[in-house]
Amino acid sequence: MARKWAGTAIVIYFLILVFMYWYLFNGDTSLPEKWVGTAADPATFLNARELMLSEQYSQIRNFMFFAYNAFDWIVYFFILLFGLSRVFERVAASQSKWRIVQAAVYLFLLSLLSYVVTFPLSYISYNLSKSYHISTQTFSSWMKDGLIDFWVNFGQMVIIVSVLYWLINKSPKKWWFHAWILSIPFFFFMMFIQPVVIDPLYNDFYPLKNKELETEILKLASQADIPAEHVYEVNMAEKTNALNAYVTGIGANSRIVLWDTTLNRLKEKEILVIMAHEMGHYVEKHIYIGIAGYLILTFAGLWLTARLMNSIITRYGKVLKITGIGNLSSLPLFLLVTAMLLFASSPLSNFVSRYQEARADQYAMEMLQDKDSAITMFQELTRSGLSQVNPPLLVKWFRYSHPTMLERIISVENYHTVEK
């Protein structure tokens, strides 16, 4: 039975790969005739080589995204199907009577196996980015970040899994609700410590060196009634050629952050457009909408996960080597179900995110009234990331938390500046 299920899973996986390859490499990503020759047309701001590379890189990167997600699912499925999860549980139980120690041992074995099995795809993704000159990171630096990821995720998961399975065993019917309640303070705690504890593990953050630019950014913040005292830059040039800026954290630990690549490649007016965009999120209270969305999706996700896990274990527990939902050996099923639910819900969450990003773009235009700088900034973002201006629909649904560059540039083109 296990061999039959494994064979079926492999066939389904390869059918997914074949479909996505056909869809991504044969889809029409050309611009509507109306926008050919305009500022939204990549042929007007990219040379022939950049056009070719952006199409190639985007196609391969998008294919890797779908391939990696489906591969994660099949890894969890095989860990259950071939009894590896039950072996890990027995090893963990033999090490200690303490549940938190058992969870730590089990998670280490599961995480190590997952890391090793998925490493080839991760390396292919890294090498792809390197070969197209998006990544500038050395192999040793990339490995260091990977190991930091491993231990940061491991530490968080030990806490989450220990509490989760304690709740499952204490309240088999309502564990998902109690887990949702406890996830709320944990979510805020992680948001609070992210800028000052976790992010500095990967990169160095320091106050913006260009004090004149910082003054201009803080002026914009003051106009928007944003309580900001400092702007930070982060040394990303040793890792990437891509551009980025963001606001992170909550309360006293909130930060406005600019990548040094953004500072090096964009003009001051273009940087101010990005900063005005980020401030638009604050003014529009998108952080509160995001928190509300997180609470709703987490509630629905945990409820669905509980129902699906109970149903699957009842019908297929013997095949998957799971004797009960309260056993640690059921964790890969929990991870599989939640991963698939997150993937399935991503078109909805991305749709909401794209709306918010469009609103932030609109706010930046209203604040600065600078169409030219906004357009050249979007064009440079396209060039630096070798992005498709008009990606295929499925890519937009599942990958794009921001409007496409076509939509963003068109929105700026259509904006009517106000005479001051």
Side-chain angles (χ1 to χ4, degrees), residues 184-202:
I184 297 172
F186 184 75
F187 170 75
F188 283 106
F189 173 73
M190 292 306 299
M191 282 188 68
F192 187 76
I193 69 168
Q194 184 80 32
V196 294
V197 177
I198 297 176
D199 289 346
L201 295 174
Y202 299 88

Side-chain angles (χ1 to χ4, degrees), residues 1-10 73-87 106 110 113 312 316-322 329-330 332-333 336:
M1 178 66 75
R3 291 177 63 185
K4 181 180 178 181
W5 281 41
T8 302
I10 291 172
W73 304 340
I74 207 170
V75 168
Y76 290 136
F77 181 66
F78 278 11
I79 287 172
L80 290 168
L81 194 61
F82 293 110
L84 291 173
S85 185
R86 196 162 62 179
V87 171
Y106 177 92
L110 180 64
L113 177 62
I312 291 169
Y316 306 111
K318 187 175 180 180
V319 178
L320 297 175
K321 316 296 189 298
I322 304 173
S329 57
S330 69
L333 179 61
L336 172 61

Side-chain angles (χ1 to χ4, degrees), residues 354-374:
R354 286 196 299 272
Y355 172 78
Q356 293 179 339
E357 296 297 338
R359 291 288 301 171
D361 283 347
Q362 180 75 9
Y363 177 85
M365 290 306 303
E366 291 170 357
M367 173 176 268
L368 296 176
Q369 301 287 318
D370 191 350
K371 292 173 64 171
D372 291 341
S373 294

